[in-house]
Amino acid sequence: MSEVTVPAAQRAPEAESVSPGRWVRENLFSSVSNAIQTMFFSLVLLGLLRWVLGQIFSEEANWTSVATNMRLLFTYNYPTEQFVRIWFAAGALFLAVGASFAAWNLNPMVTVRRVGVALAGTGAVSLVVGLIAPDTTPSAVRTGFFVVGIGLVALALAVLKVVPEPHRRQIPFIGLLAGVAGVICGVLWFFPFGDYGFADGAPTAESGTIDSSTSLPVTVMFLIMIGTYLAGRALARMIDLGWLRRTMIGWWVIGPAFIVFLVLRDPEFDWGYVLAVDVPMGAAFALGGGALLYLLAKPSRSELARVIGALLVALALFHWVAAFFGWYPMLQKARFSFALIAVAALLAPTFAGERAARLRFAGGWFGFMVLFHWLLTGINTPSTLDIAAPPFLGGFVLTVSIAYYVMLASFPLGVLLSLARTSKMPIFRVLATTYIEVVRGVPLITVLFFFSIMLPLFLPGGMGISDLAAVFAGYTVFSAAYMAENIRGGLQSVRRGQYEAADALGLTTVQRTAFIVLPQALRVSIPNLVGQAIATFKETSLIAIVGGFDLLRIANSTIPNQPDFLGQKRPALFFISLVYFVVAYSMSRASRNLEERLQAGQAR
Amino acid sequence: MSIADQALTEEMASRRDMIVCRGVKKWFGDFQALAGVDVTVKDREVMVVLGPSGSGKSTLIRCINRLEVHQEGEIVVDGVEMSNDMRNIEKIRSEVGMVFQQFNLFPHLTVLDNITLAPIWVRKRARVEAEAKAMELLERVGIPEQANKFPGQLSGGQQQRVAIARSLAMEPKIMLFDEPTSALDPEMISEVLDVMKDLARGGMTMMVVTHEMGFAREVADRLVFMESGDVVEVGTPEHFFTNPREERTKLFLSQIL
Amino acid sequence: MTSQTDDSGTAVFTGHTRPPIWRNTSVLKWLVQIVVLVAVLAVFWFLAAQARTNLSAKGIPVSYDWLDEPANIQLGEGIQTVDTEERRLTMSRALWVGMVNTLRIASIGIIVSTIIGIAVGIARLSKNWLARKVSSIYVETLRNVPVLVQIILWLAILGSLGKLTADSGPIPGWVIVSQKGISLPRVFLADGFYQFVSMVLVAMVPVWFVRRSLKRRQDREGGNTHATGFTLAALAVIAVVAWFANPVMAFLGPIFGSVESAWGSIPQGLMQLLLSVAALGGAVLWIRRFLDSRRTPAGLAKLIDDDWFRMIFAVVASLLAVLVVVRGWPGLSSWIINSGSDLFGVIADKFGDGRGSRPIDAMRPTLSEGRFVNYGPTGLTMTVFYASLFFGLVFYTSSFIAEIVRGGILAVPAGQSEAAAALGLSRGQALRKVVLPQAFRVVMPPLGNQYLNITKNTSLGIAVGFSEIVQVGQTVYNKNSQTLAVFSIYMVFYLACSLTISSVVNTINRRLAIVER
C-alpha cells in the first residue's frame, strides 16, 4: 500500500562517461577469461554476420522482387484508384497515436548521449557490414554502407562534442518524434531507391527516388501525428486528463472497426432498404431500449428490473431456439440486440441512481446501439471495391487487423473466463478451467483448422460464414484462454482486504468486480497482456497456412509464383522478418518502459 | 439475566438491541473459532472486545456483517436476522460500517472517489450530493486537503481516517472496528483514536476490537473479554480495570497493562 | 425469528427462519450455476446434432472404423513410410508414425533448446560487454520474428544448398549438408537395449540398498562413506557385465506375452463393472473426505445448503459416468482392454528371440541410390523438412529459455551466495547447494511452459511438409473426410502430451518447493 511516486526529475542521472580506452579495458579485457570471451564472441558475431549477409546478398537473391511487390506486401490487392482510403485510415491511426502519446504523456527520458552512442553504434555496424559483405554485394550498396557509416559516426561525434553535458541533457519527446519522422521522410524524399512497380502485369523499374504518391502521404501522416501530439498536450493543460484518456480508449475500441468495415471496405448501402429496415430497427432498439432502461434504473424498481431482465433473457434465448428450428425469420442483429437489452436490463439495478445517473445509463445504451447497428449494417452490406481476389484485407493490413481484433474480441471473453476460474462457484470454476486447459493444451493451428473446416458444419442450415471470419473466430477462442490466464494472474494479486472492504460497504458482486477488483487486476496484468499482444501479432502468420493472404503467404507463395520472380523466396522472407521484428520489438520496448513506469509508482 | 446482558445499567437495558448474538458458533476446518458466543450491544453503546490473539474477537465482528458466515446460532442486527436471505444481507451491510486493521482503501481511486463510491452506487445518491457529504466527512476527520490524492500518497493514520470517513459516508447505524490502530506507527494512533472518540460522543453504536486500554477505559460503556472463542467476562470498564472476576481476565490484563 | 424465552428470561435458540427461495443466496448461487451448465450442455448438444445432420447429409457419418483400413498415404519420413506385406501401413499406423515424428522432434528440440538457452542466458549475465551484446542480439532477433516465418526461412535457405552426392558435405562420408538434408554419424539404441536396461535395473536394486545403508552410516557416524562413489562404481561394473550378458534377460519376453494374453482375455462386462465401481467409489470417497473435512471435535458441523448441493452433484456426476460406461460408450471398455494388451505385446516384442547382444550401436551416414536411407541403421539424418522445423523451433525457443534462465539467476538475491561464502562453502558448493536450487524453483514453471510450446509448435511442420501428426492427420481427412474423428485424435494426443509435461514439471516443482508460511 506504500507506493511512492518517483518524479521523473529525481531519477538518478546517467553516469559520467569514461574514456574509450578505459571502457574497453574494463569491459572487454579486464581478465584473461574476459579477453578470451571477447575473442570468442567477436568470432561468433563476425561469422554470423557474414553468413546472414551471404544469405541476403547471395547471387540468386533478386531484391527487385521485394521492391516491386511492396504494395502487394502491405495492402495486397487493394485497388489502386481507391488507395486514398488506405491513406485516410493510416491518417486516422496516426492521429490517434499522436493524441494517445499526448493523453498518456509519454516521456521515455532519452539523453543526448544515448542518442549519440546509438548513432555511433549504428554507424560502426554499417561500416563493419560494408567491410565484410560478400563479393556478390552490389558495389553501390557497399559504398552506401560506407557512406552511411562514416556519416553517422561523424554526426555522433560532432553531437557529443558540441552539446555540453550530453549525459545530463534530455531530449524532449517532441524532439524525438520530429527527429524520427524527419529521418523517415527525408530518406523517402531524397534517397535514390528507385521506383518499382507493376504496369499491366509486367514489373517496371525506374531509377531515382520513390514516387511522391508514397512519400507525400507518409509525410502528411507524420505531420498529422506531430500536430495532434502538440494539440493534445495543449488540450491536456486545459481539460481533465482522465476525460482525454477515456475518449482515446473509446476511440481505440471502436475506431479501428469503423476504419476497416466502413472506410476500407466501403459498403455500398442500398439506401432504400437501409431507410426502410435498418434505420427503424436501430432506432427502435436505441430509443425503446433507452426508455426501458431509464424506467428500470430507478432504485425503487430493482425487483421489477430483475423480473423484466429475466423475461427478456428468456425472450432472447427463445429467438435463438426459434432460429435453430427455423420457426420464423429474424435478422441476426435483432437477435443480438435482444440479448444485449436483456443483459442491460439485468444490470439496471446495479447502475441505478438519481436522474442524472439514469439518463447517463440510458444515453450510454442509446449511443452503443446506434454504433452497433451502424457497424453491423456496414458489415452486412456488399463492398463497392473492385477487387480481383475476394478478401479486401491482405498483407500487412490483414496481419495488423487480425491481431488487433483478436485481442479486442478475446478481451471480454478472457475477463469472463478468468473471473469464472477464480470464482467460488465450483461449476463455473470447472467449466472455465476445462475450457482454458483444453484450449491451451492444443496447438493454434489445429484450432484454426477446426474452425475453418468444421465451423460451417456446426452452423444451422442456411447460415454461412466467410473463411476469414471462421479463422478469426477460432483465433479469438484460442486467444481468450491465454488472456484468461494472464488476467487471472492480476486477479490473484488483488488482496482479500479489497473484496472485504467492498462487501462491507454493501457493493453487489457485479459492482465489486467492475469498480474494485477488475481495475486493479487489469493494471497488474498490463505487461502480460502486452506480451500476449506481441505473441498474437506474431502468430497471425499461421493464417497463411489456413488460407489468408497475410504477409507470410504473399512472401512465401504469391511472389515466388510471379513469372518474373519465380522461386524468389529468400528476399521477401527476410523483408517480412524485418517488418515483424520492427513491430514486435518496438512493442516489447514500449511495454518494458511502461512496466518501469508502473513499478515506479501509481502513475498519474 | 443472561451473559449477553451482564453489567447493563437500568437505563441501558431499556434501550433497543442493536446487535444480538445468540449461541454463535463458527469453525475453520477443525478449529473452532467461536464456541457459542452470546453478546448484546444496545443502541448508542460502545462495546470494546478484548482478548488474546486467536480468541475469536475478529471473527465475531466479521460474522456480524457476514464477511465470515457463522454456522450455528443467530445474529440479529437492528431487528434483521443474518441469514442466507439476500435482502437481509444487503440491509445489514448498508447499516453496518466497518473499519479494518489494514485500512483496505481502494488504491486505484482518489480519496474522494473512495468515499463517494458506495453512496453513489449503493445508496444511489447524486454525485454532487455525495461529494459534498464526503468533503464534510473529510473535514470531520481533519483531512479535507487530501481529497484528490491517492491512498498510496497518505500516511497510515490519514489512510485510516479516510477509511472511517468512507464507512460514515454510508450513514451507518453501527460501526465495527477491527483493530483499527494495530497497523499504525505509534505517533499516528492518537489521531485515529480521537476521531473514534468523537464518533462515540456523537452517539454512534460501536463495537471495537482493540488493544488500546486507554481508549477502552475512557470511552467504552462495556468491555467483553474473550478467550478460545468464548465470552469469559462482560463488565463496565470500572469493573474490569479494578476488580475482574475471572482469573483468566486478570492474567490477560496483567500481561497487557 | 423463532426464538423463545425460557423462565429465566434468556433467549433460547430454536432454529433459523428459512428465507424464500428467490432470495436465498445459496439456492440462487447454485441455480445460476446449474442454468449455465445446462445452457452450455444444450449448446454443445445443439452443435453436435447439427454437425451430425450436416455430416449425414454429406454421407460421411462420424466413425472410427477407418482406422484399420489401408492408408495409401505417402509419408515423408518416420518409423514406417511404405506399405509392405509383413507390415501393413493402415490409417492408424500412419497416424502413429506422425505421432512418433512429433515426439521425436519435440523431445530432441527440448533438450537442444535448453542447452542453447542456458548457454545464451548465462552469456547475457557475463562480465564481458561483447558477450552480453551478442547474446542479447541473439535473443531479441529470434524472439521477435514469428517462429513460422523462421521455419519457412530455414526451408528456403536449406533448399538453396548444393545437390546431394556421394562426396557432399563439409566432411564427406561423415558430415553431409545438402539440399536434401543434413546427416551426421549417429549413436542409436540397438536390439539388446531393452534387455540391457532391464538387467541394469534389476542389478541396481541391491546396490541401492547398500547405498542407503552407507548414507545412513555417514549420517550416524560422520566422515565420508563414499556412498555416491560406490554407487557409480557398481553401476559401471553392472553396465559392463550387462553389455555382454543381456541376452540372459530374454526370458522376460514370454512373461510379458502372457500378461498380454491375460489382459486381452478380460471380458468386456468385467471392465465395465470395474469402471463403474471406480466411478461410484470415487464419488463415495470424495463425499467421505468432504464430510471428514466438515467434521470437528464437537461432532459433524451443521451442513449448509451449499454442502448438500456439492454432495448431490458428486453423486449425480458419478451416476452419469456409470451410465456412459455401461450404456453410452461401451467401446471405452473394449478400447482399454485392447490397448492395454497391445501395450504389453509391444513390450514383449522387445525381448528374446535371438536379439543381438549389443545395446547401443553407431553408424555413419549412408546413401542408397543417391538418397538418404529413410530410417533404420544409418547416420543421424535430418531431412530438409525436419531440419528447417527443428532449427526454427530450437532457435526460437532457446531465445525464450535464455530469458527465463537469466531471470531465474537474477532472482536469487546476492545475499544468498554471500551467506553461503560466509559459512565457508566453496564456490561450487554454494552454487550447487544454495543458488541453483533457488534459481531452479523460479525457472521451472516458465520452462515447462516453453516445453509445452515447443511440443505444440511442432504442428507447424505442416507448413514445410514434415510428417508430424497434424500433417498426417490432414492427409487422412482429406482422403476420407473424417474430420471430426481426426480432430478428436489430435486433441487427445496433444492433451496427453501437455498433461505429461505439466505433471512432470509439477512433480519437480513440488520436490523443489520451499515450505513457506
Side-chain angles (χ1 to χ4, degrees):
Chain A
M1 187 80 58
S2 57
E3 282 121 326
V4 186
T5 319
V6 181
Q10 282 178 19
R11 279 189 228 164
E14 285 184 49
E16 285 278 346
S17 49
V18 293
S19 76
R22 206 174 119 206
W23 184 88
V24 167
R25 235 176 303 126
E26 278 177 359
N27 288 286
L28 297 177
F29 298 99
S30 65
S31 66
V32 177
S33 88
N34 204 337
I36 293 174
Q37 282 187 38
T38 306
M39 305 298 279
F40 174 76
F41 280 102
S42 8
L43 283 180
V44 168
L45 185 63
L46 289 179
L48 272 178
L49 203 56
R50 170 124 192 145
W51 181 76
V52 172
L53 288 171
Q55 289 297 328
I56 291 175
F57 295 113
S58 73
E59 267 170 89
E60 308 100 75
N62 178 359
W63 281 85
T64 320
S65 65
V66 174
T68 313
N69 283 300
M70 238 9 152
R71 179 166 282 176
L72 194 70
L73 282 167
F74 277 91
T75 57
Y76 195 48
N77 280 332
Y78 204 84
T80 323
E81 57 277 13
Q82 297 272 24
F83 228 64
V84 65
R85 292 177 181 281
I86 297 270
W87 290 121
F88 180 83
L93 280 178
F94 274 68
L95 192 135
V97 169
S100 303
F101 282 163
W104 276 273
N105 195 10
L106 215 62
N107 194 1
M109 315 275 297
V110 180
T111 58
V112 172
R113 189 177 72 159
R114 253 178 76 186
V115 173
V117 169
L119 285 179
T122 318
V125 170
S126 180
L127 282 176
V128 172
V129 167
L131 276 175
I132 66 169
D135 303 336
T136 45
T137 315
S139 61
V141 173
R142 192 192 292 265
T143 322
F145 276 121
F146 283 130
V147 171
V148 169
I150 292 170
L152 283 180
V153 171
L155 179 68
L157 290 180
V159 165
L160 291 179
K161 269 272 167 304
V162 170
V163 179
E165 290 200 314
H167 60 280
R168 256 185 236 287
R169 182 149 310 203
Q170 277 170 10
I171 299 178
F173 183 66
I174 183 72
L176 276 182
L177 208 61
V180 171
V183 168
I184 293 176
C185 295
V187 167
L188 280 180
W189 279 108
F190 300 113
F191 204 83
F193 283 113
D195 192 42
Y196 298 90
F198 275 108
D200 304 325
T204 59
E206 284 168 36
S207 57
T209 55
I210 292 170
D211 194 72
S212 63
S213 68
T214 302
S215 37
L216 183 66
V218 170
T219 313
V220 173
M221 299 294 110
F222 278 112
L223 288 179
I224 288 177
M225 185 163 91
I226 293 171
T228 37
Y229 175 74
L230 290 176
R233 287 312 300 156
L235 202 64
R237 257 173 243 123
M238 287 182 279
I239 59 164
D240 181 24
L241 210 55
W243 181 84
L244 192 59
R245 287 180 186 177
R246 275 197 294 278
T247 315
M248 287 323 295
I249 291 176
W251 194 94
W252 282 110
V253 171
I254 309 167
F258 282 85
I259 288 185
V260 168
F261 289 107
L262 298 181
V263 176
L264 290 186
R265 199 166 162 277
D266 189 25
E268 188 173 32
F269 287 116
D270 174 1
W271 287 108
Y273 183 79
V274 167
L275 288 176
V277 176
D278 294 317
V279 171
M281 183 196 276
F285 275 112
L287 290 172
L292 178 69
L293 291 179
Y294 180 78
L295 291 178
L296 292 182
K298 197 167 177 183
S300 57
R301 294 198 186 118
S302 64
E303 310 246 309
L304 181 70
R306 287 201 184 99
V307 172
I308 291 188
L311 289 178
L312 281 172
V313 167
L315 181 66
L317 286 179
F318 185 76
H319 284 318
W320 258 301
V321 174
F324 183 77
F325 292 109
W327 288 337
Y328 51 84
M330 182 185 258
L331 284 180
Q332 200 64 252
K333 66 181 170 191
R335 294 200 192 101
F336 277 112
S337 304
F338 272 114
L340 287 171
I341 185 81
V343 174
L346 280 179
L347 287 178
T350 300
F351 297 100
E354 285 295 294
R355 224 176 97 85
R358 290 161 72 191
L359 272 178
R360 223 180 11 249
F361 186 52
W365 166 265
F366 181 84
F368 175 68
M369 264 297 107
V370 169
L371 288 176
F372 182 75
H373 276 262
W374 184 27
L375 189 60
L376 280 191
T377 311
I379 291 175
N380 284 330
T381 310
S383 167
T384 53
L385 294 180
D386 174 30
I387 298 179
F392 69 101
L393 286 179
F396 185 68
V397 176
L398 175 72
T399 298
V400 171
S401 314
I402 289 273
Y404 190 86
Y405 287 114
V406 164
M407 284 301 283
L408 203 62
S410 56
F411 182 75
L413 213 57
V415 169
L416 284 182
L417 281 169
S418 65
L419 287 174
R421 191 169 184 178
T422 50
S423 129
K424 278 188 192 148
M425 308 196 190
I427 295 182
F428 285 171
R429 221 167 43 220
V430 168
L431 283 178
T433 311
T434 314
Y435 176 94
I436 292 170
E437 292 308 326
V438 166
V439 170
R440 274 160 39 96
V442 298
L444 173 58
I445 191 69
T446 57
V447 177
L448 295 185
F449 273 135
F450 183 83
F451 271 78
S452 64
I453 298 170
M454 298 304 292
L455 201 56
L457 291 180
F458 283 121
L459 293 175
M463 227 175 108
I465 185 165
S466 78
D467 281 356
L468 215 50
V471 168
F472 168 74
Y475 203 170
T476 305
V477 160
F478 179 82
S479 179
Y482 287 81
M483 185 83 79
E485 282 304 271
N486 283 332
I487 296 173
R488 185 164 72 113
L491 284 175
Q492 283 168 340
S493 76
V494 178
R495 271 176 252 150
R496 229 182 68 179
Q498 296 289 315
Y499 290 81
E500 290 179 350
D503 282 345
L505 285 172
L507 298 183
T508 64
T509 312
V510 176
Q511 289 168 341
R512 184 184 71 198
T513 311
F515 299 144
I516 307 300
V517 179
L518 275 183
Q520 296 184 48
L522 290 178
R523 194 165 296 198
V524 176
S525 342
I526 284 175
N528 285 335
L529 291 181
V530 176
Q532 199 193 337
I534 297 172
T536 307
F537 171 74
K538 287 187 297 179
E539 282 171 3
T540 48
S541 53
L542 265 64
I543 290 172
I545 303 179
V546 288
F549 281 88
D550 74 328
L551 272 178
L552 178 61
R553 177 85 174 270
I554 294 171
N556 191 40
S557 42
T558 310
I559 295 178
N561 281 328
Q562 289 169 344
D564 298 287
F565 307 114
L566 270 185
Q568 281 297 335
K569 283 192 177 181
R570 273 183 288 167
L573 285 172
F574 273 116
F575 176 74
I576 66 164
S577 303
L578 183 71
V579 172
Y580 279 115
F581 174 81
V582 168
V583 176
Y585 182 68
S586 29
M587 271 160 89
S588 74
R589 282 311 292 259
S591 109
R592 229 173 299 164
N593 269 344
L594 189 76
E595 220 171 316
E596 278 161 19
R597 252 173 67 154
L598 284 180
Q599 272 172 7
Q602 197 88 40
R604 175 94 219 218
Chain B
M1 180 185 263
S2 74
I3 291 191
D5 295 334
Q6 274 173 7
L8 280 178
T9 60
E10 280 291 314
E11 187 271 329
M12 282 256 261
S14 67
R15 289 188 204 164
R16 203 149 54 98
D17 287 348
M18 286 306 276
I19 303 172
V20 181
C21 298
R22 254 172 256 151
V24 174
K25 294 184 185 173
K26 165 85 189 164
W27 288 267
F28 293 108
D30 284 352
F31 174 72
Q32 185 165 21
L34 296 178
V37 173
D38 294 303
V39 168
T40 308
V41 181
K42 295 286 183 178
D43 191 22
R44 300 198 306 284
E45 177 180 4
V46 177
M47 176 175 272
V48 169
V49 186
L50 301 173
S53 71
S55 60
K57 47 195 197 313
S58 283
T59 311
L60 176 65
I61 71 167
R62 288 161 63 84
C63 280
I64 289 172
N65 68 353
R66 211 178 166 88
L67 292 180
E68 306 284 357
V69 180
H70 64 286
Q71 283 146 331
E72 278 181 33
E74 68 182 341
I75 299 176
V76 180
V77 180
D78 196 16
V80 181
E81 190 198 348
M82 178 61 80
S83 68
N84 274 342
D85 193 334
M86 218 162 73
R87 190 185 280 174
N88 291 8
I89 298 172
E90 278 170 17
K91 191 156 168 42
I92 292 176
R93 279 192 175 155
S94 63
E95 279 182 7
V96 179
M98 175 132 182
V99 176
F100 299 86
Q101 181 180 357
Q102 296 295 339
F103 331 136
N104 292 343
L105 292 180
F106 306 130
H108 62 297
L109 299 177
T110 59
V111 166
L112 197 63
D113 289 339
N114 259 288
I115 301 176
T116 55
L117 184 78
I120 291 175
W121 295 107
V122 180
R123 285 257 189 262
K124 312 293 186 192
R125 297 264 187 280
R127 179 174 290 275
V128 185
E129 190 190 328
E131 282 180 358
K133 172 88 183 164
M135 286 314 294
E136 196 181 298
L137 285 168
L138 282 176
E139 295 283 357
R140 197 160 138 199
V141 298
I143 39 175
E145 71 283 358
Q146 312 283 8
N148 288 315
K149 287 196 180 162
F150 284 92
Q153 297 166 308
L154 303 186
S155 75
Q158 290 171 328
Q159 289 195 42
Q160 193 60 297
R161 284 188 278 163
V162 173
I164 294 174
R166 180 174 72 175
S167 297
L168 291 177
M170 288 292 285
E171 294 161 6
K173 292 183 182 160
I174 301 165
M175 286 285 283
L176 306 175
F177 291 84
D178 188 0
E179 308 203 16
T181 53
S182 301
L184 295 177
D185 292 337
E187 71 270 19
M188 293 169 181
I189 290 178
S190 67
E191 60 189 57
V192 171
L193 289 182
D194 286 346
V195 171
M196 289 168 64
K197 283 174 197 164
D198 269 355
L199 263 183
R201 275 184 223 113
M204 175 68 76
T205 311
M206 288 163 68
M207 198 161 174
V208 185
V209 173
T210 187
H211 294 298
E212 294 298 326
M213 289 304 141
F215 175 84
R217 195 191 298 248
E218 185 184 336
V219 182
D221 291 309
R222 281 189 298 162
L223 278 72
V224 174
F225 176 67
M226 288 181 71
E227 193 174 44
S228 318
D230 241 334
V231 172
V232 176
E233 192 166 357
V234 182
T236 58
E238 194 187 352
H239 161 82
F240 251 83
F241 291 110
T242 53
N243 184 24
R245 192 177 35 185
E246 301 278 334
E247 272 313 307
R248 287 183 285 176
T249 319
K250 279 180 196 155
L251 188 64
F252 174 75
L253 286 173
S254 70
Q255 282 164 349
I256 202 162
L257 285 175
Chain C
M1 263 175 295
T2 51
S3 49
Q4 302 163 347
T5 311
D6 67 7
D7 298 339
S8 62
T10 315
V12 176
F13 171 75
T14 50
H16 295 285
T17 43
R18 286 193 75 84
I21 285 175
W22 64 88
R23 290 210 312 257
N24 186 330
T25 45
S26 289
V27 174
L28 282 180
K29 213 174 83 182
W30 282 91
L31 199 69
V32 170
Q33 292 185 73
I34 289 169
V35 165
V36 170
L37 181 67
V38 169
V40 168
L41 291 179
V43 167
F44 268 97
W45 184 81
F46 272 136
L47 291 178
Q50 201 59 50
R52 201 157 47 217
T53 331
N54 283 341
L55 286 170
S56 303
K58 289 186 178 175
I60 34 171
V62 181
S63 84
Y64 290 86
D65 302 335
W66 49 269
L67 280 172
D68 293 327
E69 289 165 12
N72 295 324
I73 295 176
Q74 189 59 52
L75 290 175
E77 59 191 290
I79 46 175
Q80 183 184 355
T81 53
V82 283
D83 194 17
T84 57
E85 278 302 322
E86 358 10 308
R87 296 207 85 168
R88 308 305 319 211
L89 187 64
T90 56
M91 289 284 197
S92 55
R93 179 78 187 161
L95 287 171
W96 174 241
V97 172
M99 291 183 197
V100 172
N101 278 338
T102 296
L103 294 176
R104 194 162 58 118
I105 201 162
S107 51
I108 301 173
I110 284 173
I111 295 168
V112 177
S113 58
T114 308
I115 293 170
I116 300 180
I118 290 176
V120 176
I122 290 174
R124 286 208 68 176
L125 294 171
S126 160
K127 280 199 180 117
N128 185 287
W129 179 84
L130 197 62
R132 282 201 310 269
K133 215 64 195 170
V134 171
S135 49
S136 80
I137 290 173
Y138 176 93
V139 169
E140 292 295 353
T141 315
L142 288 172
R143 74 172 182 172
N144 282 318
V145 176
V147 61
L148 183 59
V149 173
Q150 293 189 36
I151 291 169
I152 289 178
L153 192 53
W154 277 111
L155 184 68
I157 290 172
L158 292 173
S160 69
L161 293 172
K163 288 210 157 50
L164 174 64
T165 57
D167 53 354
S168 302
I171 314 173
W174 289 86
V175 178
I176 301 176
V177 178
S178 77
Q179 58 172 226
K180 286 283 172 215
I182 297 170
S183 196
L184 311 164
R186 172 174 83 139
V187 176
F188 61 95
L189 310 180
D191 279 351
F193 181 74
Y194 291 87
Q195 293 172 168
F196 172 76
V197 168
S198 50
M199 189 160 182
V200 170
L201 283 181
V202 169
M204 281 308 280
V205 173
V207 174
W208 201 254
F209 279 107
V210 175
R211 177 191 137 95
R212 210 171 62 178
S213 78
L214 284 178
K215 278 204 123 173
R216 287 211 182 127
R217 214 174 74 205
Q218 181 173 340
D219 291 344
R220 232 180 14 248
E221 299 166 10
N224 193 346
T225 51
H226 303 287
T228 311
F230 166 78
T231 316
L232 289 178
L235 185 65
V237 171
I238 291 169
V240 170
V241 171
W243 186 279
F244 298 104
N246 70 64
V248 175
M249 302 303 280
F251 70 91
L252 283 174
I255 293 181
F256 280 116
S258 51
V259 174
E260 175 195 1
S261 52
W263 187 277
S265 60
I266 297 174
Q268 190 186 336
L270 183 62
M271 185 52 78
Q272 282 178 331
L273 190 67
L274 285 176
L275 287 177
S276 310
V277 168
L280 290 177
V284 170
L285 271 181
W286 187 86
I287 290 177
R288 275 190 56 182
R289 276 210 355 232
F290 181 73
L291 286 179
D292 279 346
S293 73
R294 290 286 184 278
R295 211 180 293 282
T296 65
L300 191 63
K302 196 165 165 296
L303 292 174
I304 54 178
D305 298 352
D306 208 279
D307 300 335
W308 288 109
F309 272 114
R310 278 165 200 264
M311 288 191 285
I312 293 170
F313 203 75
V315 171
V316 171
S318 74
L319 287 178
L320 276 180
V322 170
L323 205 64
V324 165
V325 166
V326 176
R327 295 292 305 277
W329 191 15
L332 178 67
S333 312
S334 47
W335 181 77
I336 292 178
I337 295 167
N338 290 339
S339 52
S341 105
D342 284 354
L343 179 68
F344 285 109
V346 169
I347 297 176
D349 280 348
K350 301 287 183 196
F351 294 90
D353 290 342
R355 287 191 165 256
S357 67
R358 218 183 287 170
I360 292 171
D361 219 333
M363 285 291 285
R364 273 169 43 184
T366 42
L367 297 181
S368 84
E369 297 163 13
R371 296 174 53 196
F372 288 124
V373 178
N374 166 51
Y375 200 81
T378 173
L380 177 68
T381 305
M382 298 194 248
T383 61
V384 270
F385 313 114
Y386 183 98
S388 49
L389 180 60
F390 183 76
F391 290 157
L393 284 182
V394 161
F395 292 133
Y396 181 76
T397 313
S398 68
S399 70
F400 285 89
I401 293 180
E403 281 303 273
I404 293 169
V405 169
R406 170 169 167 263
I409 296 176
L410 284 180
V412 181
Q416 292 289 322
S417 38
E418 284 163 13
L423 287 172
L425 274 78
S426 76
R427 255 187 76 171
Q429 279 172 326
L431 203 65
R432 251 181 327 165
K433 305 245 182 241
V434 179
V435 177
L436 280 187
Q438 295 186 49
F440 218 68
R441 211 161 48 94
V442 182
V443 159
M444 218 44 216
L447 206 55
N449 246 337
Q450 288 306 321
Y451 293 164
L452 269 178
N453 283 346
I454 212 172
T455 310
K456 288 186 287 176
N457 280 340
T458 53
S459 58
L460 298 179
I462 194 170
V464 289
F466 175 68
S467 315
E468 42 71 54
I469 173 74
V470 175
Q471 200 260 351
V472 177
Q474 195 189 31
T475 324
V476 168
Y477 68 65
N478 282 342
K479 237 180 160 58
N480 63 10
S481 303
Q482 286 291 346
T483 337
L484 211 52
V486 172
F487 275 109
S488 70
I489 293 172
Y490 287 165
M491 206 171 94
V492 170
F493 171 71
Y494 278 111
L495 287 184
C497 291
S498 305
L499 284 180
T500 313
I501 292 176
S502 59
S503 63
V504 167
V505 169
N506 284 343
T507 315
I508 296 176
N509 231 12
R510 215 169 312 123
R511 291 246 169 125
L512 294 173
I514 295 175
V515 181
E516 275 171 293
R517 273 209 41 157

